[in-house]
Amino acid sequence: MTPEYSNTNTHLCRAGSYNQNPIIRRMDPSQSFNQAPGACNSSEKSVMLQPAAAPPAYQDNPAGYPPSQPVPQGPYAQGPYSGQTVVAVQPAVFVTATPLANPAPDYMGYSIFTMLCCCFPLGIVALVYSCSTRDANFSGRRELAEKNSNTARTLNHVAVALGLIIIVGYIIYYSMLINNVNQHL
């Protein structure tokens, strides 16, 4: 029997002060209207206070699964059911690089000197290769470290040579300018 829900002919019946789910029942018109809104008859209370049915016991093989069926091995093997494939996932491998025992020279100080004192553009490029050499040394990549080290050294030598040429040229030009001024006086 399904109760009809309306504001005029239903009320909630609760058992004592327990916090349980409410039971909605249809009011009997022959019942007294003097009854308190939360009051219920004793038969309803006895049903509500009884313990609930125990949950079903744990099953080793849930419904729909075959009992202990072996899974075939291989990259393209069929699964336990037709139409299913077994996908084997490889575990992630983390490779940690250790710094080189004999690191290649990075020429960092030489690069900073050439950048500030000799030839700024070539000094910056040499500094970038020096930083790359240091990173390669730290990550354990010997070939890359040696290649960057040789490039940084070559750029530093070229920057020093170019800087010396510019400085010597400026000194020669300035000395010739002073000699010309002294001859005209």
PDB file of all heavy atoms in Angstrom, residues 19 24 36 46 55 58 64 73 77 90-91 114 116 121 129 132 144-146 152 159-160 163 165 175-176:
ATOM      1  N   ASN A  19      17.845   9.049  16.356  1.00  0.00           N
ATOM      2  CA  ASN A  19      17.959   9.730  15.077  1.00  0.00           C
ATOM      3  C   ASN A  19      17.855   8.685  13.979  1.00  0.00           C
ATOM      4  O   ASN A  19      18.852   8.187  13.484  1.00  0.00           O
ATOM      5  CB  ASN A  19      19.297  10.476  15.010  1.00  0.00           C
ATOM      6  CG  ASN A  19      19.372  11.345  13.770  1.00  0.00           C
ATOM      7  OD1 ASN A  19      18.382  11.518  13.074  1.00  0.00           O
ATOM      8  ND2 ASN A  19      20.546  11.880  13.521  1.00  0.00           N
ATOM      9  N   ILE A  24       6.667   7.796   7.013  1.00  0.00           N
ATOM     10  CA  ILE A  24       5.515   8.602   6.642  1.00  0.00           C
ATOM     11  C   ILE A  24       4.338   7.649   6.511  1.00  0.00           C
ATOM     12  O   ILE A  24       4.415   6.646   5.814  1.00  0.00           O
ATOM     13  CB  ILE A  24       5.764   9.349   5.324  1.00  0.00           C
ATOM     14  CG1 ILE A  24       6.979  10.255   5.486  1.00  0.00           C
ATOM     15  CG2 ILE A  24       4.544  10.123   4.903  1.00  0.00           C
ATOM     16  CD1 ILE A  24       7.393  10.964   4.232  1.00  0.00           C
ATOM     17  N   ALA A  36      -0.419  13.802  19.951  1.00  0.00           N
ATOM     18  CA  ALA A  36       0.693  14.706  19.671  1.00  0.00           C
ATOM     19  C   ALA A  36       1.258  14.408  18.287  1.00  0.00           C
ATOM     20  O   ALA A  36       1.246  13.263  17.839  1.00  0.00           O
ATOM     21  CB  ALA A  36       1.773  14.529  20.726  1.00  0.00           C
ATOM     22  N   SER A  46       7.812  -0.556  17.927  1.00  0.00           N
ATOM     23  CA  SER A  46       8.527  -1.818  18.054  1.00  0.00           C
ATOM     24  C   SER A  46       9.147  -2.235  16.721  1.00  0.00           C
ATOM     25  O   SER A  46      10.209  -2.826  16.679  1.00  0.00           O
ATOM     26  CB  SER A  46       7.607  -2.907  18.579  1.00  0.00           C
ATOM     27  OG  SER A  46       6.583  -3.150  17.637  1.00  0.00           O
ATOM     28  N   PRO A  55      24.085  -7.062   6.333  1.00  0.00           N
ATOM     29  CA  PRO A  55      24.448  -6.995   4.913  1.00  0.00           C
ATOM     30  C   PRO A  55      24.877  -8.372   4.428  1.00  0.00           C
ATOM     31  O   PRO A  55      25.265  -9.232   5.214  1.00  0.00           O
ATOM     32  CB  PRO A  55      25.619  -6.008   4.879  1.00  0.00           C
ATOM     33  CG  PRO A  55      26.159  -6.000   6.265  1.00  0.00           C
ATOM     34  CD  PRO A  55      25.008  -6.315   7.167  1.00  0.00           C
ATOM     35  N   TYR A  58      30.596 -11.430   2.357  1.00  0.00           N
ATOM     36  CA  TYR A  58      31.578 -11.194   1.298  1.00  0.00           C
ATOM     37  C   TYR A  58      31.708 -12.440   0.429  1.00  0.00           C
ATOM     38  O   TYR A  58      31.786 -13.553   0.930  1.00  0.00           O
ATOM     39  CB  TYR A  58      32.937 -10.842   1.911  1.00  0.00           C
ATOM     40  CG  TYR A  58      34.010 -10.679   0.882  1.00  0.00           C
ATOM     41  CD1 TYR A  58      34.067  -9.542   0.093  1.00  0.00           C
ATOM     42  CD2 TYR A  58      34.958 -11.670   0.692  1.00  0.00           C
ATOM     43  CE1 TYR A  58      35.033  -9.389  -0.855  1.00  0.00           C
ATOM     44  CE2 TYR A  58      35.941 -11.532  -0.262  1.00  0.00           C
ATOM     45  CZ  TYR A  58      35.977 -10.386  -1.041  1.00  0.00           C
ATOM     46  OH  TYR A  58      36.948 -10.247  -1.985  1.00  0.00           O
ATOM     47  N   GLY A  64      29.143 -12.712 -12.064  1.00  0.00           N
ATOM     48  CA  GLY A  64      29.552 -12.366 -13.414  1.00  0.00           C
ATOM     49  C   GLY A  64      31.019 -12.596 -13.684  1.00  0.00           C
ATOM     50  O   GLY A  64      31.473 -12.417 -14.800  1.00  0.00           O
ATOM     51  N   GLN A  73      49.538 -14.407 -21.061  1.00  0.00           N
ATOM     52  CA  GLN A  73      50.618 -13.436 -21.085  1.00  0.00           C
ATOM     53  C   GLN A  73      50.967 -13.093 -22.528  1.00  0.00           C
ATOM     54  O   GLN A  73      50.757 -13.880 -23.429  1.00  0.00           O
ATOM     55  CB  GLN A  73      51.852 -13.998 -20.367  1.00  0.00           C
ATOM     56  CG  GLN A  73      51.605 -14.346 -18.910  1.00  0.00           C
ATOM     57  CD  GLN A  73      51.246 -13.124 -18.094  1.00  0.00           C
ATOM     58  OE1 GLN A  73      51.826 -12.076 -18.272  1.00  0.00           O
ATOM     59  NE2 GLN A  73      50.269 -13.253 -17.215  1.00  0.00           N
ATOM     60  N   ALA A  77      47.726 -10.637 -26.190  1.00  0.00           N
ATOM     61  CA  ALA A  77      46.931 -11.790 -25.764  1.00  0.00           C
ATOM     62  C   ALA A  77      45.485 -11.372 -25.517  1.00  0.00           C
ATOM     63  O   ALA A  77      45.201 -10.250 -25.146  1.00  0.00           O
ATOM     64  CB  ALA A  77      47.518 -12.379 -24.487  1.00  0.00           C
ATOM     65  N   GLN A  90      54.160  -0.852 -18.572  1.00  0.00           N
ATOM     66  CA  GLN A  90      55.538  -0.885 -18.109  1.00  0.00           C
ATOM     67  C   GLN A  90      55.697   0.066 -16.931  1.00  0.00           C
ATOM     68  O   GLN A  90      55.131   1.147 -16.931  1.00  0.00           O
ATOM     69  CB  GLN A  90      56.484  -0.441 -19.229  1.00  0.00           C
ATOM     70  CG  GLN A  90      56.490  -1.349 -20.421  1.00  0.00           C
ATOM     71  CD  GLN A  90      57.349  -2.572 -20.178  1.00  0.00           C
ATOM     72  OE1 GLN A  90      58.265  -2.532 -19.399  1.00  0.00           O
ATOM     73  NE2 GLN A  90      57.028  -3.656 -20.854  1.00  0.00           N
ATOM     74  N   PRO A  91      56.462  -0.301 -15.924  1.00  0.00           N
ATOM     75  CA  PRO A  91      56.693   0.623 -14.815  1.00  0.00           C
ATOM     76  C   PRO A  91      57.594   1.773 -15.256  1.00  0.00           C
ATOM     77  O   PRO A  91      58.414   1.611 -16.166  1.00  0.00           O
ATOM     78  CB  PRO A  91      57.387  -0.247 -13.759  1.00  0.00           C
ATOM     79  CG  PRO A  91      58.004  -1.351 -14.530  1.00  0.00           C
ATOM     80  CD  PRO A  91      57.090  -1.585 -15.713  1.00  0.00           C
ATOM     81  N   THR A 114      86.622  38.074 -20.517  1.00  0.00           N
ATOM     82  CA  THR A 114      86.545  38.508 -21.913  1.00  0.00           C
ATOM     83  C   THR A 114      85.287  39.318 -22.177  1.00  0.00           C
ATOM     84  O   THR A 114      85.309  40.237 -22.992  1.00  0.00           O
ATOM     85  CB  THR A 114      86.603  37.315 -22.878  1.00  0.00           C
ATOM     86  OG1 THR A 114      85.561  36.416 -22.578  1.00  0.00           O
ATOM     87  CG2 THR A 114      87.942  36.628 -22.807  1.00  0.00           C
ATOM     88  N   LEU A 116      83.807  41.380 -19.995  1.00  0.00           N
ATOM     89  CA  LEU A 116      83.922  42.710 -19.396  1.00  0.00           C
ATOM     90  C   LEU A 116      85.094  43.523 -19.950  1.00  0.00           C
ATOM     91  O   LEU A 116      85.000  44.754 -20.025  1.00  0.00           O
ATOM     92  CB  LEU A 116      84.056  42.579 -17.878  1.00  0.00           C
ATOM     93  CG  LEU A 116      82.839  41.978 -17.160  1.00  0.00           C
ATOM     94  CD1 LEU A 116      83.133  41.826 -15.679  1.00  0.00           C
ATOM     95  CD2 LEU A 116      81.607  42.839 -17.373  1.00  0.00           C
ATOM     96  N   PRO A 121      80.343  41.166 -27.078  1.00  0.00           N
ATOM     97  CA  PRO A 121      79.479  40.164 -27.735  1.00  0.00           C
ATOM     98  C   PRO A 121      80.051  38.741 -27.694  1.00  0.00           C
ATOM     99  O   PRO A 121      79.332  37.791 -27.381  1.00  0.00           O
ATOM    100  CB  PRO A 121      79.353  40.662 -29.172  1.00  0.00           C
ATOM    101  CG  PRO A 121      79.724  42.087 -29.138  1.00  0.00           C
ATOM    102  CD  PRO A 121      80.694  42.250 -28.007  1.00  0.00           C
ATOM    103  N   TYR A 129      78.217  29.293 -23.400  1.00  0.00           N
ATOM    104  CA  TYR A 129      78.809  27.959 -23.571  1.00  0.00           C
ATOM    105  C   TYR A 129      79.457  27.468 -22.274  1.00  0.00           C
ATOM    106  O   TYR A 129      79.452  26.270 -21.989  1.00  0.00           O
ATOM    107  CB  TYR A 129      79.821  27.953 -24.720  1.00  0.00           C
ATOM    108  CG  TYR A 129      79.148  27.760 -26.063  1.00  0.00           C
ATOM    109  CD1 TYR A 129      78.921  28.837 -26.901  1.00  0.00           C
ATOM    110  CD2 TYR A 129      78.740  26.508 -26.482  1.00  0.00           C
ATOM    111  CE1 TYR A 129      78.307  28.672 -28.126  1.00  0.00           C
ATOM    112  CE2 TYR A 129      78.118  26.326 -27.693  1.00  0.00           C
ATOM    113  CZ  TYR A 129      77.903  27.412 -28.517  1.00  0.00           C
ATOM    114  OH  TYR A 129      77.276  27.245 -29.729  1.00  0.00           O
ATOM    115  N   SER A 132      76.643  26.121 -20.245  1.00  0.00           N
ATOM    116  CA  SER A 132      76.213  24.831 -20.807  1.00  0.00           C
ATOM    117  C   SER A 132      77.192  23.722 -20.444  1.00  0.00           C
ATOM    118  O   SER A 132      76.786  22.585 -20.181  1.00  0.00           O
ATOM    119  CB  SER A 132      76.099  24.923 -22.328  1.00  0.00           C
ATOM    120  OG  SER A 132      75.105  25.846 -22.685  1.00  0.00           O
ATOM    121  N   LEU A 144      78.964  16.150 -24.484  1.00  0.00           N
ATOM    122  CA  LEU A 144      78.424  17.495 -24.606  1.00  0.00           C
ATOM    123  C   LEU A 144      79.261  18.486 -23.795  1.00  0.00           C
ATOM    124  O   LEU A 144      79.503  19.612 -24.238  1.00  0.00           O
ATOM    125  CB  LEU A 144      76.964  17.521 -24.138  1.00  0.00           C
ATOM    126  CG  LEU A 144      76.240  18.856 -24.251  1.00  0.00           C
ATOM    127  CD1 LEU A 144      76.156  19.285 -25.718  1.00  0.00           C
ATOM    128  CD2 LEU A 144      74.857  18.760 -23.646  1.00  0.00           C
ATOM    129  N   ALA A 145      79.730  18.071 -22.634  1.00  0.00           N
ATOM    130  CA  ALA A 145      80.541  18.955 -21.797  1.00  0.00           C
ATOM    131  C   ALA A 145      81.858  19.284 -22.495  1.00  0.00           C
ATOM    132  O   ALA A 145      82.298  20.450 -22.497  1.00  0.00           O
ATOM    133  CB  ALA A 145      80.801  18.298 -20.444  1.00  0.00           C
ATOM    134  N   GLU A 146      82.491  18.290 -23.106  1.00  0.00           N
ATOM    135  CA  GLU A 146      83.758  18.550 -23.798  1.00  0.00           C
ATOM    136  C   GLU A 146      83.562  19.438 -25.021  1.00  0.00           C
ATOM    137  O   GLU A 146      84.370  20.326 -25.296  1.00  0.00           O
ATOM    138  CB  GLU A 146      84.404  17.229 -24.196  1.00  0.00           C
ATOM    139  CG  GLU A 146      84.955  16.471 -23.011  1.00  0.00           C
ATOM    140  CD  GLU A 146      85.501  15.100 -23.374  1.00  0.00           C
ATOM    141  OE1 GLU A 146      85.375  14.697 -24.559  1.00  0.00           O
ATOM    142  OE2 GLU A 146      86.035  14.435 -22.471  1.00  0.00           O
ATOM    143  N   ALA A 152      83.700  27.196 -25.774  1.00  0.00           N
ATOM    144  CA  ALA A 152      83.893  28.333 -24.879  1.00  0.00           C
ATOM    145  C   ALA A 152      85.350  28.787 -24.888  1.00  0.00           C
ATOM    146  O   ALA A 152      85.644  29.989 -24.931  1.00  0.00           O
ATOM    147  CB  ALA A 152      83.459  27.967 -23.459  1.00  0.00           C
ATOM    148  N   ALA A 159      87.991  36.270 -28.550  1.00  0.00           N
ATOM    149  CA  ALA A 159      87.586  37.534 -27.929  1.00  0.00           C
ATOM    150  C   ALA A 159      88.797  38.275 -27.372  1.00  0.00           C
ATOM    151  O   ALA A 159      88.898  39.509 -27.506  1.00  0.00           O
ATOM    152  CB  ALA A 159      86.571  37.267 -26.826  1.00  0.00           C
ATOM    153  N   VAL A 160      89.732  37.570 -26.761  1.00  0.00           N
ATOM    154  CA  VAL A 160      90.941  38.219 -26.239  1.00  0.00           C
ATOM    155  C   VAL A 160      91.778  38.764 -27.394  1.00  0.00           C
ATOM    156  O   VAL A 160      92.286  39.909 -27.341  1.00  0.00           O
ATOM    157  CB  VAL A 160      91.757  37.233 -25.363  1.00  0.00           C
ATOM    158  CG1 VAL A 160      93.150  37.774 -25.090  1.00  0.00           C
ATOM    159  CG2 VAL A 160      91.034  36.984 -24.072  1.00  0.00           C
ATOM    160  N   GLY A 163      89.999  41.747 -28.796  1.00  0.00           N
ATOM    161  CA  GLY A 163      90.123  42.848 -27.848  1.00  0.00           C
ATOM    162  C   GLY A 163      91.505  43.463 -27.875  1.00  0.00           C
ATOM    163  O   GLY A 163      91.651  44.698 -27.833  1.00  0.00           O
ATOM    164  N   ILE A 165      93.592  43.438 -30.425  1.00  0.00           N
ATOM    165  CA  ILE A 165      93.718  44.147 -31.712  1.00  0.00           C
ATOM    166  C   ILE A 165      93.044  45.508 -31.628  1.00  0.00           C
ATOM    167  O   ILE A 165      93.589  46.521 -32.088  1.00  0.00           O
ATOM    168  CB  ILE A 165      93.163  43.289 -32.869  1.00  0.00           C
ATOM    169  CG1 ILE A 165      94.062  42.091 -33.123  1.00  0.00           C
ATOM    170  CG2 ILE A 165      93.004  44.112 -34.133  1.00  0.00           C
ATOM    171  CD1 ILE A 165      93.502  41.082 -34.103  1.00  0.00           C
ATOM    172  N   SER A 175      98.127  57.762 -30.846  1.00  0.00           N
ATOM    173  CA  SER A 175      99.506  58.276 -30.899  1.00  0.00           C
ATOM    174  C   SER A 175      99.772  58.999 -32.219  1.00  0.00           C
ATOM    175  O   SER A 175     100.469  60.019 -32.261  1.00  0.00           O
ATOM    176  CB  SER A 175     100.513  57.178 -30.661  1.00  0.00           C
ATOM    177  OG  SER A 175     100.481  56.263 -31.706  1.00  0.00           O
ATOM    178  N   MET A 176      99.231  58.524 -33.330  1.00  0.00           N
ATOM    179  CA  MET A 176      99.390  59.204 -34.628  1.00  0.00           C
ATOM    180  C   MET A 176      98.657  60.532 -34.615  1.00  0.00           C
ATOM    181  O   MET A 176      99.153  61.526 -35.175  1.00  0.00           O
ATOM    182  CB  MET A 176      98.891  58.315 -35.772  1.00  0.00           C
ATOM    183  CG  MET A 176      99.788  57.130 -36.050  1.00  0.00           C
ATOM    184  SD  MET A 176      99.172  56.023 -37.313  1.00  0.00           S
ATOM    185  CE  MET A 176      99.006  57.080 -38.714  1.00  0.00           C
TER     186      MET A 176
END
